[in-house]
Amino acid sequence: MAIVMAVFSACRWRSAAGAYILLAMVTLSTCGVVINVNWYTTVFSTGVDSPVLLNWDAATDWDRALYNLGLSTDPGLFNSRHLAGIAAGLMAVFGVDITVPIMFNVLCYGLTLVAMGSIAYAMTSDRRIALGTLVAGSTMCYLFTQSTWLIKDVPVTLCIAVIACMLVRWRMDGCSRWWEWMLLAVSMVLLLFLRANFMYMVALGAGLMALRRDVRRLDWKFIVVIVAAILMRMVYDHYFNSVSAEALITVDGTTTLNHHKTASRAWDKMHPGGYEDFSVGRRLLFLPASVAVQFLIPFPWNFGRDMIFAPTMVVAHFGYCWYYAGALILYWIFAAGRRSPRTMQLSAVWGVAMTVLTAWMSAGRVSRYCLPYLPLLLPCAAFVAVKMWRRRSLWVWLGVFTAILVPTLLVCHHLQMTAS
């Protein structure tokens, strides 16, 4: 909390309200860690150095971390479990305790919320929109949940938020400082080892931020970032056994996402023969539905389904703020985008493009991969909430959105329960 508040106090948009929100969210996240660690240890009659982790990703990272510390002879399934390397480094200092690497996620969560607000402030120079983005980020229950157990989504989101913040600042100010380059470099290296496929996302974002109506104003700094991101990914692939994005998030039942089959059986039945074998035309035909499924899950029912992984997974299903943030973003795209700062428009294109690409590759089944796009899109939602809340058209749209959302969720519930 001290680190989070130290960073927040250096922000030009800081306020007492923002400080209280950060205090509340970091405290709640820490309470979630306490609940989950109790589940991993006391409930299963083990200790903090031998937790029972029933999620495949968490268990694999923990086992690999123990191997890196010389406490296990089993290297695990993959050599490139880099979150395990971070966990091992932290536990080498603070002791072998499952709480240690999870608290790293809590730290990343608080810093991510600060970075989100900083992106909005850099785009708009409006403290209210920055605070609104902070509030919006705090209400994303899925992001909060991921900060309370051993998973890499929150550190990845922080990396994207910091990179986006630096690129936005450079575009707005036209100048860079040494500490901005340092933060960018650290974030890119960390992102490379946590989720190497996202280096192409960084290159895309830098390319968008470099766009100017006058080609003569092209900034060399963005070109450096593009080249660096691509080269880093190439070097990584040369030295590590990197799994391609297509292989990693394919929906075939024999691949790494097999554990999702029960939860999405109704959707899978609509992909006869396997989604990964679909032609480009068929994927395009399914794309709108894939984006919708990706947006709607985790569904607001089956609250106890994933509790075996972590009790706080219950919170992830309360996605109503997620839904209405999406409604505000849609309103921004169709009714407010043209009146927004150019940098916000480019950030939205960046976030929407990656959201659609993720749905294209995964049939919309891996919604947690969209969490890193929140820093790119939530400023748009905050812009609408702060600037346009008096508009009658906004409230009409929210009513229409609710009228569409309710029957859609009812249909999805029926399909899922029938298939299960």
Side-chain angles (χ1 to χ4, degrees):
M1 191 65 225
I3 295 173
V4 172
M5 293 308 300
V7 174
F8 182 61
S9 65
C11 298
R12 297 176 63 182
W13 58 277
R14 62 187 179 275
S15 65
Y20 282 122
I21 292 171
L22 288 171
L23 175 61
M25 298 314 299
V26 173
T27 301
L28 288 172
S29 181
T30 305
C31 290
V33 174
V34 173
I35 293 170
N36 288 344
V37 171
N38 179 74
W39 173 262
Y40 301 143
T41 57
T42 305
V43 171
F44 290 99
S45 300
T46 62
V48 291
D49 59 345
S50 56
V52 175
L53 303 174
L54 299 177
N55 175 267
W56 186 88
D57 285 313
T60 304
D61 281 322
W62 175 256
D63 292 341
R64 184 71 186 182
L66 294 182
Y67 176 80
N68 291 339
L69 290 170
L71 301 176
S72 172
T73 58
D74 183 8
L77 297 177
F78 296 104
N79 292 328
S80 56
R81 301 295 301 187
H82 300 300
L83 180 61
I86 296 173
L90 291 169
M91 289 192 293
V93 176
F94 298 105
V96 181
D97 185 331
I98 184 59
T99 316
V100 171
I102 301 179
M103 286 304 295
F104 173 71
N105 276 357
V106 176
L107 172 63
C108 290
Y109 177 62
L111 294 176
T112 299
L113 295 178
V114 175
M116 287 182 182
S118 297
I119 292 171
Y121 184 76
M123 290 176 178
T124 63
S125 298
D126 192 320
R127 292 173 180 266
R128 297 174 303 162
I129 295 178
L131 181 61
T133 303
L134 174 61
V135 172
S138 300
T139 61
M140 298 295 105
C141 292
Y142 204 176
L143 182 66
F144 165 83
T145 297
Q146 301 300 80
S147 73
T148 61
W149 62 304
L150 188 60
I151 198 79
K152 62 187 176 183
D153 294 313
V154 174
V156 170
T157 304
L158 174 61
C159 291
I160 292 297
V162 172
I163 292 169
C165 186
M166 297 303 105
L167 295 178
V168 168
R169 288 172 64 95
W170 291 354
R171 179 179 173 84
M172 298 300 294
D173 298 341
C175 60
S176 59
R177 302 161 184 83
W178 67 268
W179 59 268
E180 293 176 339
W181 280 104
M182 183 180 70
L183 282 176
L184 182 73
V186 171
S187 299
M188 289 180 65
V189 171
L190 186 59
L191 181 63
L192 175 70
F193 287 103
L194 288 175
R195 192 164 285 164
N197 295 322
F198 272 36
M199 298 311 295
Y200 296 130
M201 175 185 176
V202 173
L204 173 62
L208 287 170
M209 291 300 166
L211 292 177
R212 299 281 186 179
R213 289 185 174 89
D214 186 354
V215 179
R216 292 171 297 181
R217 295 181 61 195
L218 183 66
D219 196 328
W220 63 269
K221 295 190 292 294
F222 298 106
I223 306 302
V224 170
V225 174
I226 295 171
V227 173
I230 295 174
L231 287 178
M232 288 169 68
R233 176 60 198 271
M234 293 173 63
V235 172
Y236 180 90
D237 286 343
H238 179 73
Y239 286 101
F240 295 95
N241 295 324
S242 178
V243 182
S244 69
E246 188 73 19
L248 182 63
I249 59 177
T250 182
V251 299
D252 181 63
T254 61
T255 61
T256 58
L257 290 184
N258 188 42
H259 59 286
H260 288 289
K261 292 291 283 186
T262 301
S264 59
R265 186 174 292 124
W267 180 231
D268 296 337
K269 288 181 177 179
M270 301 179 190
H271 304 130
Y275 180 81
E276 74 284 355
D277 296 325
F278 276 15
S279 65
V280 173
R282 292 188 72 183
R283 287 198 180 196
L284 284 174
L285 183 65
F286 271 90
L287 187 57
S290 297
V291 173
V293 169
Q294 183 173 262
F295 173 65
L296 292 173
I297 57 177
F299 290 118
W301 56 81
N302 289 350
F303 296 102
R305 192 193 71 199
D306 297 321
M307 278 188 63
I308 193 171
F309 298 154
T312 56
M313 286 300 293
V314 170
V315 180
H317 291 268
F318 290 90
Y320 302 105
C321 292
W322 170 289
Y323 295 154
Y324 282 95
L328 293 178
I329 292 168
L330 286 173
Y331 184 87
W332 179 90
I333 291 173
F334 293 104
R338 293 183 180 180
R339 301 179 182 87
S340 304
R342 176 65 172 169
T343 305
M344 183 176 286
Q345 297 172 3
L346 295 173
S347 175
V349 171
W350 186 7
V352 170
M354 293 308 304
T355 300
V356 173
L357 180 60
T358 302
W360 166 273
M361 297 176 67
S362 67
R365 295 177 53 187
V366 199
S367 60
R368 69 183 181 90
Y369 283 1
C370 293
L371 293 175
Y373 314 148
L374 290 176
L376 308 176
L377 296 170
L378 287 184
C380 301
F383 182 91
V384 172
V386 171
K387 297 281 191 181
M388 302 178 178
W389 67 275
R390 294 178 180 271
R391 282 192 176 188
R392 183 174 179 272
S393 60
L394 173 61
W395 293 102
V396 170
W397 158 241
L398 292 177
V400 171
F401 178 82
T402 302
I404 296 173
L405 178 66
V406 171
T408 300
L409 289 175
L410 290 174
V411 169
C412 291
H413 181 270
H414 173 74
L415 290 174
Q416 190 180 47
M417 294 301 101
T418 303
S420 298

